[in-house]
Amino acid sequence: MAVRIAVAGGKGGTGKTTLAVGLARAFLSTGEKVSLLDLDVEEPNSHLFLSDLREVNRRQVISSLPAVITEHCVACGRCKEFCHFNAIVVFDKATVLEEFCHRCGGCVLVCPERAIVEKEVVIGEVIKAVGRGLELVSGWLEVGQANPGPVIREVKAEQVAGDWVVLDCPPGSGCAFVESVEGADLLLGVVEDTPFGAHDFRKVVQVARNAGMRIFAVINRYGMGNGDGVKVCEEEEIEILAKVPFSEAAHRALAQGGDPYSVSPDLKGILDWIRDALLERLER
Amino acid sequence: MRPKEIVVVSGKGGTGKTLITALLASASETKVICDCDVEAANLHLLLKPEEVSSQRVRLGMVARVDTGACKGCGRCWKTCRFSAIEERNSRAYVIPELCEGCGVCALVCPRPAIEMVEEETGDVLFGQSEWGEILYAELLPGRGSSGRLVSELKGRARKRAMALGCSWLLVDGPPGLGCPVISAVSGADVVVLVVEASLSGISDAQRLLPLLRRFDVDILGVANKCGISEDLDRQLEGWLEEESIPLVVKIPFSPDIARLYGNAIPPKDLVDISALANRIQ
Ligand code: SF4
Ligand code: SF4
């Protein structure tokens, strides 16, 4: 069985993508088969650091959106009454407000006139790219679509070959994050050593704990904060696998899309260290 | 008069939205400040409000199964679009984290064995800071209604700003471009687009822009963490120019700023955003 590692942080910009891509490379360098899933479908970025991959497949994510057949609608208001998301307004006819609709299909079921049907709409894309033994599957939410959930699910449903599956998760601690980590074997937190990083990571930990996941942490930009990130891990009894010091040189290289595994020997060493620690903890 | 609504967004996380919001707060006389990043609220950690009052809000619903009444016919789990109901021990079992609260299962259940109950969404908090009144919210971890919490929070902040006769309602937006961002931006007069001068920062802002364009708002550009590479700076500026978005403030990349900020000290003396404040005025 493949091991699924969810890389998450809560706060945005803590280095999730850097660690996810870097760790995937580190596993790859020991001859392991690795797949990387970019689940931050609102703003996917993993591909920016893997510019040498070649796209092999691209498919659309389709969802159904209710549409009112106006000739059949008698404006009885049942659909509006049912909809829990206030996504239907009824004047002389019913109208669906696309931005609010969660595509539950309820209005179609309740309409006594069968005046609501579902039409298909594209809500995103799943793109697969391969190269240097690595497989990357990224999800792209169509801009203007509100709900990333179905696109995240589609990325996760993609058949992947890796024995190690690294999940680059979205920021936050809401539904997109929950969808992303669901089914993961362990959560690797990328935590900024600041009050912000600590506060946001705590929420992530709660979700992961509820799901019964093992949790490890990496402190990023160590030395730039007040120590709260380390403190929160100690309080939550989460093992810190590495403390990555802030390096201006690495920062500059990564900002320009450098591959985390090759921008600096120090960073490479840390990524190898984290990989080995995970192998050991998982008794692989 | 209706206060001017200013929303700070960037697409990517960690680009300096919260920092810019805080500095803008210090640049205006009368305002209410509102942190719409309800999944990872950070502004209050920087502004350190006092006498914070908190209120639990219930904005969503969740399905609850009466296992005694359930016969395990399976209509609910076959109909649920969100894979939020499973069969466990021949009975329906709701996975609350995945349930969107749509009520379709309760609708199709012939018994009926499913009831829709209100779900706690999170807390709305309100406090006084040296920089102004701040409203923020903490989504309960894992809850699905962050967009609704954002709308609720913003509604309250708007009322408060009106009541106080403020000239500004300052909003720190969430990352991404989904539901919470749409809720945060809707109703805005001015959007401050913070673009980090990195490949991901630029690329994320570029993806966000078409969404912002759907709203009737003025967009002002702020470039943050500049000077890492001339190439990136040029790319960033070129793009904003192409899109006719004025670049109002450029903030250099500086470990000193990051260090102060990392200790929750607003780096007031290191970053000058007066041009942005003036422009909004
Ligand atoms: S599909 Fe569901 S959410 Fe959408 S309009 Fe119909 S009842 Fe409302
Ligand atoms: S309320 Fe909707 S989302 Fe929740 S379990 Fe029922 S059908 Fe599924």
Side-chain angles (χ1 to χ4, degrees):
Chain A
M1 274 280 279
V3 181
R4 293 168 88 89
I5 304 172
V7 180
K11 183 177 181 311
T14 60
K16 287 181 289 295
T17 301
T18 305
L19 184 69
V21 174
L23 193 61
R25 285 277 201 229
F27 274 114
L28 203 67
S29 72
T30 58
E32 301 274 356
K33 274 201 209 148
V34 191
S35 305
L36 175 63
L37 308 189
D38 193 342
L39 302 175
D40 187 1
V41 304
E42 293 179 37
E43 295 286 20
N45 280 336
S46 288
H47 66 285
L48 294 173
F49 302 92
L50 294 164
S51 50
D52 55 337
L53 300 194
R54 178 172 45 84
E55 183 179 322
V56 290
N57 190 26
R58 176 185 287 250
R59 65 186 167 87
Q60 292 179 324
V61 181
I62 310 283
S63 177
S64 46
L65 186 75
V68 179
I69 311 168
T70 40
E71 307 87 78
H72 294 181
C73 174
V74 296
C76 70
R78 298 268 184 89
C79 53
K80 172 180 173 341
E81 219 172 89
F82 174 80
C83 180
H84 283 244
F85 308 104
N86 303 323
I88 299 188
V89 289
V90 183
F91 295 111
D92 52 334
K93 299 285 174 192
T95 311
V96 177
L97 307 173
E98 197 174 330
E99 319 83 78
F100 294 109
C101 174
H102 285 229
R103 293 130 168 74
C104 70
C107 50
V108 178
L109 294 173
V110 295
C111 176
E113 305 295 325
R114 295 176 189 246
I116 306 184
V117 292
E118 289 184 282
K119 56 168 205 259
E120 296 197 326
V121 285
V122 178
I123 58 156
E125 252 185 338
V126 174
I127 301 176
K128 189 187 244 179
V130 296
R132 287 209 259 164
L134 185 73
E135 181 181 49
L136 169 70
V137 186
S138 322
W140 294 75
L141 180 72
E142 186 82 17
V143 177
Q145 290 291 333
N147 182 10
V151 182
I152 295 173
R153 286 198 285 275
E154 282 298 317
V155 177
K156 292 175 78 174
E158 186 81 26
Q159 284 287 332
V160 290
D163 292 322
W164 296 89
V165 181
V166 180
L167 314 174
D168 184 0
C169 296
S173 54
C175 56
F177 167 70
V178 172
E179 290 273 7
S180 304
V181 295
E182 217 244 334
D185 297 287
L186 68 92
L187 183 124
L188 185 58
V190 190
V191 188
E192 233 179 51
D193 205 12
T194 65
F196 316 109
H199 170 269
D200 301 346
F201 183 53
R202 223 185 262 278
K203 294 187 153 192
V204 161
V205 169
Q206 274 187 49
V207 176
R209 286 251 154 92
N210 282 342
M213 239 171 259
R214 284 183 80 174
I215 309 173
F216 297 100
V218 170
I219 304 289
N220 199 13
R221 294 187 206 116
Y222 184 62
M224 298 295 276
N226 70 345
D228 275 4
V230 172
K231 223 193 287 166
V232 90
C233 294
E234 284 167 358
E235 279 167 23
E236 298 280 351
E237 298 183 7
I238 292 165
E239 187 189 354
I240 296 171
L241 298 182
K243 293 175 183 163
V244 187
F246 175 74
S247 142
E248 198 167 328
H251 179 87
R252 281 176 195 279
L254 291 168
Q256 298 173 67
D259 167 1
Y261 199 60
S262 17
V263 294
S264 90
D266 288 345
L267 190 52
K268 176 178 180 299
I270 293 168
L271 289 165
D272 284 339
W273 172 274
I274 297 170
R275 173 203 61 209
D276 292 343
L278 286 174
L279 285 166
E280 203 186 295
R281 303 300 180 277
L282 296 166
E283 292 175 359
R284 283 281 203 155
Chain B
M1 219 187 64
R2 187 179 160 273
K4 193 175 255 185
E5 208 168 294
I6 303 135
V7 183
V8 184
V9 292
S10 66
K12 185 177 181 312
T15 59
K17 285 185 293 294
T18 302
L19 171 71
I20 308 282
T21 312
L23 295 175
L24 270 177
S26 70
S28 145
E29 286 287 302
T30 57
K31 74 261 138 179
V32 163
I33 313 159
C34 171
D35 185 353
C36 280
D37 189 358
V38 302
E39 294 186 28
N42 284 164
L43 191 59
H44 66 286
L45 299 170
L46 198 61
L47 304 187
K48 306 180 186 81
E50 287 172 5
E51 292 167 43
V52 175
S53 62
S54 152
Q55 192 192 354
R56 186 53 57 98
V57 291
R58 289 172 188 78
L59 304 170
M61 306 283 259
V62 65
R64 188 189 282 159
V65 178
D66 175 353
T67 34
C70 174
K71 292 281 174 209
C73 73
R75 286 203 207 164
C76 56
W77 65 74
K78 279 179 211 138
T79 319
C80 175
R81 296 268 170 96
F82 311 104
S83 320
I85 302 203
E86 289 179 355
E87 181 180 359
R88 284 201 193 167
N89 305 322
S90 320
R91 294 288 176 269
Y93 174 87
V94 178
I95 305 164
E97 288 81 11
L98 296 182
C99 176
E100 304 237 349
C102 68
V104 163
C105 51
L107 178 74
V108 299
C109 178
R111 293 288 299 163
I114 301 184
E115 193 193 0
M116 298 307 296
V117 293
E118 275 191 343
E119 181 190 52
E120 295 189 330
T121 309
D123 299 310
V124 174
L125 300 105
F126 171 83
Q128 291 289 345
S129 82
E130 201 185 304
W131 313 54
E133 279 195 19
I134 165 168
L135 284 99
Y136 58 107
E138 303 270 10
L139 182 79
L140 285 167
R143 286 298 197 277
S145 7
S146 48
R148 271 192 258 184
L149 186 53
V150 170
S151 305
E152 170 73 23
L153 177 67
K154 243 188 103 173
R156 290 188 190 203
R158 246 180 225 146
K159 270 201 204 126
R160 191 68 198 146
M162 282 283 251
L164 294 174
C166 290
S167 46
W168 284 11
L169 170 58
L170 254 181
V171 179
D172 188 5
L177 41 74
C179 188
V181 177
I182 296 174
S183 302
V185 174
S186 80
D189 299 294
V190 180
V191 167
V192 176
L193 178 59
V194 182
V195 192
E196 183 185 276
S198 69
L199 207 55
S200 18
I202 297 170
S203 141
D204 291 358
Q206 285 176 334
R207 217 166 115 73
L208 176 63
L209 185 63
L211 179 71
L212 301 178
R213 293 264 196 238
R214 294 188 184 191
F215 298 89
D216 180 23
V217 289
D218 289 331
I219 304 173
L220 301 176
V222 169
N224 194 14
K225 306 187 196 174
C226 300
I228 282 176
S229 99
E230 275 177 29
D231 229 34
L232 285 169
D233 288 3
R234 224 178 295 124
Q235 203 181 320
L236 193 165
E237 286 173 33
W239 173 62
L240 288 180
E241 202 179 314
E242 238 169 69
E243 297 287 351
S244 315
I245 298 170
L247 174 53
V248 186
V249 173
K250 258 182 91 168
I251 304 167
F253 168 72
S254 137
D256 293 336
I257 296 176
R259 221 168 272 125
L260 273 181
Y261 189 72
N263 283 283
I265 303 165
K268 263 194 268 188
D269 303 330
L270 295 180
V271 185
D272 178 14
I273 56 119
S274 51
L276 180 63
N278 293 338
R279 183 83 184 221
I280 296 170
Q281 233 100 38

